[in-house]
Amino acid sequence: MGVAYRVLFASTFAFVVCFAVWMMFGVIGIPIRQELGLNATEFGLLTATPVLSGAVLRLPLGIWTDRFGGRLVMTALLVACALPVWLLGYAGQLWQFLLAGLVLGTVGASFAVGTPYVARFFPASRRGFAMGVFGAGTSGAALNLFVTPLLVSHYGWRMVPRIYAVALLATAALFWLLAAPDPGVGQGGKAPGMGAELRVLRDPRVWKYCQYYSLTFGGFTALSLWMPQYFVGEYGVAIGMAAALAASFSLPAGVLRALGGALADRFGAHATTWWVLWVASVMLFLLSYPQTQLVVQTIRGPAAFHIGLGLWLFVPLLFVLGVALAFGMASTFKYLGDDFSGNLGVVTGIVGMAGGLGGFLLPIIWGALLDWLGIRSSAFMLLYGVVIVALILIFFTEVRQVDFRGRQNPSPAKQA
């Protein structure tokens, strides 16, 4: 088991670095927005572009991991992404930032490499915990929120991608030294073709888990990018303070993901996901309430009241939401480990792609909503609606035991 934990450490560390790079625009996007004079929709597109390529490439990288092994694919990914990250520091126009972000966003696909790679080193009874620990690499978002503001304040935002490029190369060398050959590679037999790999899309459970993950991981990724500028605009704090406050969401969502995996091992993926969605719905309902000025006609004349979340209440609610999404990310992959252990790489790629696409679309939609409505909390309103859809879906397919074709199961099945 010593090799398994060494692989787990190396993979998790690599994912932390990759995720920090992937979330880079969440902080450096603020001075870039001021430099280029971007509106909210353009800012959302800027921050979300790396998420798009990271999402789309998860499927092929998941398939390649099944074929060539996680050690080789992860190392190649880290080395290949260093150059576009370095070149980002020389961009000066919006299209150049979008192009560079599209290429460097490949680091976000590292999740589809590490998850099946790590899972193959652990027995089924410990797989939820192992994938939860690896998934804790999303704490790289919090690392970015702590490190990047310091670099920006001392050296300017253009130094950040250069330092991150060097970090990717150093991480590639460390990973190659610590990682072990993938036990899922070289087992004999010809690797199935792309068509055979994608037959798993016929299973309706895959689409259900895509919806869960587009909410949990997609919501986490989008909020990690969106919250620094949200705090600046809504509460008027400086960039450094905004990043630190945003870390109250990103840090627990990363660190506690391992605990979510352990809970999913102990209580099952269904029970964990069910309660996570209920907690998230309550938090999002409260966070959705906009700052409101209310005038009430009293017997003494009009009385004005202000209703809204102060910073002292907003941050704890955001923290709880981060914990809920962390547990939800882990429990979703517990489903996958239980139901698709034989082709985990391709299923991880598909579900991970859905989660990444959620993280790409949400900031753009939030930006459009903000330009249209002028209400910053509309971001939470939209995410609340997505949670309600997930609750309805899990109720009819797992609580009521009705499958996607509308047939009632003859007897309650044991939940994953």
Side-chain angles (χ1 to χ4, degrees):
M1 192 62 74
V3 173
Y5 282 99
R6 193 178 77 229
V7 168
L8 180 60
F9 167 77
S11 301
T12 303
F13 179 77
F15 188 43
V16 168
V17 175
C18 286
F19 213 89
V21 174
W22 204 36
M23 297 286 100
M24 180 169 43
F25 276 135
V27 177
I28 69 171
I30 297 175
I32 292 173
R33 179 182 185 179
Q34 296 170 347
E35 185 176 304
L36 300 181
L38 305 179
N39 60 31
T41 304
E42 291 170 331
F43 177 77
L45 182 62
L46 172 69
T47 57
T49 298
V51 182
L52 175 62
S53 53
V56 172
L57 290 174
R58 285 187 173 201
L59 178 55
L61 284 172
I63 294 174
W64 293 343
T65 300
D66 283 345
R67 293 184 180 180
F68 305 115
R71 186 188 189 200
L72 177 61
V73 176
M74 181 69 85
T75 304
L77 178 65
L78 290 165
V79 173
C81 290
L83 179 60
V85 171
W86 178 276
L87 293 177
L88 176 65
Y90 298 94
Q93 300 180 38
L94 179 59
W95 70 267
Q96 295 172 340
F97 286 106
L98 296 180
L99 180 60
L102 200 62
V103 180
L104 72 86
T106 309
V107 292
S110 57
F111 183 75
V113 179
T115 299
Y117 176 53
V118 166
R120 284 192 277 263
F121 284 88
F122 288 85
S125 61
R126 299 288 291 166
R127 201 167 286 151
F129 167 76
M131 290 191 293
V133 171
F134 172 74
T138 54
S139 58
L143 176 66
N144 172 62
L145 291 172
F146 286 120
V147 173
T148 304
L150 294 176
L151 295 176
V152 171
S153 63
H154 286 84
Y155 307 106
W157 72 263
R158 293 185 185 274
M159 183 59 68
V160 176
R162 297 167 188 170
I163 292 175
Y164 276 165
V166 174
L168 285 173
L169 293 176
T171 302
L174 180 64
F175 178 81
W176 182 259
L177 291 174
L178 295 179
D182 195 324
V185 177
Q187 298 295 326
K190 185 179 179 180
M194 181 71 75
E197 293 269 20
L198 294 180
R199 285 198 192 104
V200 72
L201 288 170
R202 299 176 183 175
D203 192 325
R205 294 174 299 175
V206 173
W207 296 100
K208 180 175 67 172
Y209 301 151
C210 283
Q211 201 279 336
Y212 294 168
Y213 206 59
S214 67
L215 162 63
T216 55
F217 179 78
F220 165 76
T221 303
L223 286 172
S224 295
L225 291 167
W226 196 252
M227 290 317 300
Q229 63 86 34
Y230 188 99
F231 279 113
V232 171
E234 186 76 358
Y235 296 104
V237 299
I239 294 179
M241 178 59 71
L245 291 171
S248 68
F249 168 80
S250 301
L251 188 59
V255 174
L256 295 178
R257 184 164 174 168
L259 177 58
L263 289 174
D265 282 336
R266 173 67 178 84
F267 299 105
H270 162 71
T272 305
T273 306
W274 176 246
W275 288 109
V276 157
L277 292 176
W278 275 111
V279 172
S281 68
V282 174
M283 295 303 103
L284 286 168
F285 179 81
L286 296 174
L287 290 167
S288 296
Y289 198 87
Q291 301 291 335
T292 304
Q293 296 292 339
L294 183 66
V295 178
V296 178
Q297 295 297 330
T298 70
I299 60 174
R300 300 179 185 87
F305 299 92
H306 177 264
I307 303 175
L309 293 176
L311 193 60
W312 61 273
L313 184 56
F314 182 90
V315 172
L317 291 175
L318 191 65
F319 171 84
V320 176
L321 177 62
V323 173
L325 294 182
F327 289 178
M329 286 188 280
S331 63
T332 301
F333 272 82
K334 172 62 175 174
Y335 277 121
L336 301 186
D338 291 342
D339 295 348
F340 300 99
S341 58
N343 51 355
L344 190 58
V346 63
V347 178
T348 296
I350 293 169
V351 175
M353 181 171 65
L357 287 174
F360 165 70
L361 292 173
L362 283 172
I364 299 175
I365 298 173
W366 290 344
L369 284 174
L370 181 56
D371 284 335
W372 178 37
L373 300 176
I375 302 174
R376 288 191 178 86
S377 64
S378 59
F380 297 107
M381 298 176 191
L382 178 64
L383 202 55
Y384 174 75
V386 179
V387 172
I388 295 302
V389 172
L391 279 170
I392 294 172
L393 187 60
I394 196 173
F395 176 77
F396 282 108
T397 60
E398 298 183 39
V399 177
R400 289 286 302 275
Q401 294 290 300
V402 178
D403 71 15
F404 277 81
R405 291 166 291 277
R407 299 177 301 195
Q408 184 77 30
N409 286 353
S411 61
K414 183 180 180 180
Q415 299 299 331

